[in-house]
Amino acid sequence: MNLKVTIILIITSCFILSCGKKANQPKQEKDLETIEPSLQFIWETDSLLTTCEAVLYDDASKIIYVANINEEPWEKDNNGFISTINDKGEILNLKWIEGLSGPKGMGISNGKLYVNDIDAIVEIDIQQQKILNRYEVPNNPQLNDITVSPNGVVYSSGSNSNTIYKLDSGNVVVLAEGDLNRLNGLLWQKEGLYYLESGNQNFGIMNMNDLTFKTLTTGIGHGDGVVRLQNGDFIISSWKGAIFYINSKDWTKTLLLNTEAESIQTADIDYIPSTQTLLIPTFFNNRVKAYKVNMSK
């Protein structure tokens, strides 16, 4: 091999190595990017939503349902109600449905609104604005949150029983019981049921195949509501007044909001994907607050 050919091969090799490094460089920089989420206050409702515990956005109607306990969370006083508000925080119908006692978590399926009411899952026909059924659950379960699968199965958490119940085809059955402490928030996803423990302050997932519970994140306060963002990460609420961002890649948590010193609770939240809006019911503060979820890198 003559000198000229050797020089050409060396230059070509260096060029290839250089291009390879440049091609890999954006990926390396991308891997190093970190998301820095934050909340930006948008609006709040009037203070007529007495002891509002849960919110639920209905994308079909663009209406937000609000579950109002109206004083005692676990007392059968028959003074609880469901309100409707719009996505600007204006109250449309303060007492859209009455005749409940301690309404909490809600879910929608096939034109029906399902609401936990202490020891019964209440089925409401949305169009008729009428209670259709009350599915009783025995032994003082203290029903709290609801999540609904795409095929219409309603899952309900019992905070006192630490049990997940399933309402399917008009029957309530026990799905799973765990060694938990004040089970609360639920979120159905294809990989399993995500859950929050208020007592143990854990965020975890229940395997739908073997019905086992696995802790993913600890130290999340008195876990109440859980939502999932478009990027696969989660936002969860702690009832006493904290909102956490949960990274689904490593299950680390970031505190986004803390209103405990102001005695403003952060109960069973919901999320509007189209506008990246987080909805927070404030319980004894008697308002729903809305925040824009900002995702900077």
Side-chain angles (χ1 to χ4, degrees):
M1 183 181 295
N2 60 38
L3 180 61
K4 184 176 181 179
V5 173
T6 303
I7 292 172
I8 291 172
L9 288 173
I10 291 171
I11 292 172
T12 302
S13 298
C14 291
F15 177 76
I16 291 171
L17 288 171
S18 175
C19 288
K21 287 180 180 179
K22 288 180 180 178
N24 289 332
Q25 189 173 359
K27 185 178 186 303
Q28 291 172 352
E29 289 177 354
K30 186 176 181 180
D31 289 343
L32 293 174
E33 287 179 348
T34 57
I35 295 173
E36 296 181 359
S38 62
L39 297 181
Q40 177 185 352
F41 177 76
I42 305 173
W43 53 255
E44 65 179 20
T45 65
D46 198 345
S47 58
L48 300 174
L49 304 172
T50 47
T51 327
C52 50
E53 199 279 338
V55 288
L56 180 67
Y57 176 70
D58 180 12
D59 187 58
S61 63
K62 312 302 179 188
I63 284 175
I64 300 165
Y65 295 94
V66 185
N68 301 274
I69 293 171
N70 194 11
E71 297 178 0
E72 296 300 326
W74 305 112
E75 184 177 324
K76 290 189 175 183
D77 48 23
N78 206 43
N79 67 357
F81 57 94
I82 306 295
S83 302
T84 57
I85 64 177
N86 62 22
D87 58 7
K88 298 179 179 62
E90 299 165 334
I91 297 175
L92 302 176
N93 190 336
L94 180 62
K95 295 190 176 181
W96 179 75
I97 287 289
E98 297 182 84
L100 305 171
S101 289
K104 298 178 181 70
M106 297 177 286
I108 292 175
S109 179
N110 195 29
K112 309 296 191 301
L113 176 70
Y114 294 90
V115 185
N116 275 335
D117 193 18
I118 303 178
D119 59 359
I121 301 173
V122 179
E123 181 183 31
I124 300 169
D125 187 290
I126 292 174
Q127 186 173 4
Q128 295 183 49
Q129 198 174 326
K130 177 183 177 182
I131 293 176
L132 297 180
N133 293 294
R134 295 176 186 265
Y135 302 99
E136 302 291 334
V137 181
N139 303 319
N140 188 28
Q142 294 190 351
L143 301 179
N144 213 320
D145 200 14
I146 276 181
T147 188
V148 181
S149 70
N151 61 352
V153 179
V154 177
Y155 299 93
S156 173
S157 65
S159 289
N160 190 49
S161 60
N162 293 306
T163 297
I164 296 177
Y165 303 93
K166 181 173 73 169
L167 171 61
D168 192 8
S169 303
N171 296 308
V172 179
V173 296
V174 170
L175 176 65
E177 298 176 89
D179 184 19
L180 308 171
N181 189 348
R182 298 299 295 176
L183 175 65
N184 194 341
L186 290 180
L187 179 65
W188 184 96
Q189 295 287 273
K190 61 182 180 180
E191 65 270 26
L193 271 179
Y194 289 92
Y195 66 90
L196 293 169
E197 286 181 84
S198 179
N200 287 333
Q201 304 191 8
N202 293 334
F203 173 56
I205 185 170
M206 190 196 78
N207 187 304
M208 294 292 284
N209 295 319
D210 60 15
L211 305 180
T212 56
F213 295 81
K214 178 184 177 182
T215 297
L216 301 172
T217 305
T218 61
I220 50 84
H222 297 272
D224 202 322
V226 51
V227 297
R228 196 166 201 178
L229 307 180
Q230 296 96 317
N231 67 354
D233 292 344
F234 299 84
I235 291 180
I236 64 175
S237 62
S238 168
W239 181 84
K240 284 194 173 182
I243 300 291
F244 292 95
Y245 184 96
I246 306 295
N247 189 311
S248 60
K249 297 176 182 62
D250 57 11
W251 304 114
T252 54
K253 62 182 182 292
T254 301
L255 181 64
L256 298 181
L257 183 71
N258 190 342
T259 57
E260 187 172 351
E262 304 164 62
S263 298
I264 297 177
Q265 290 77 36
T266 47
D268 193 355
I269 57 177
D270 202 10
Y271 178 70
I272 305 176
S274 60
T275 56
Q276 296 83 54
T277 302
L278 183 69
L279 304 168
I280 304 176
T282 63
F283 212 76
F284 293 127
N285 189 249
N286 300 324
R287 293 174 175 85
V288 170
K289 293 177 179 285
Y291 291 82
K292 174 69 178 295
V293 179
N294 295 313
M295 307 289 285
S296 60
K297 292 184 178 180

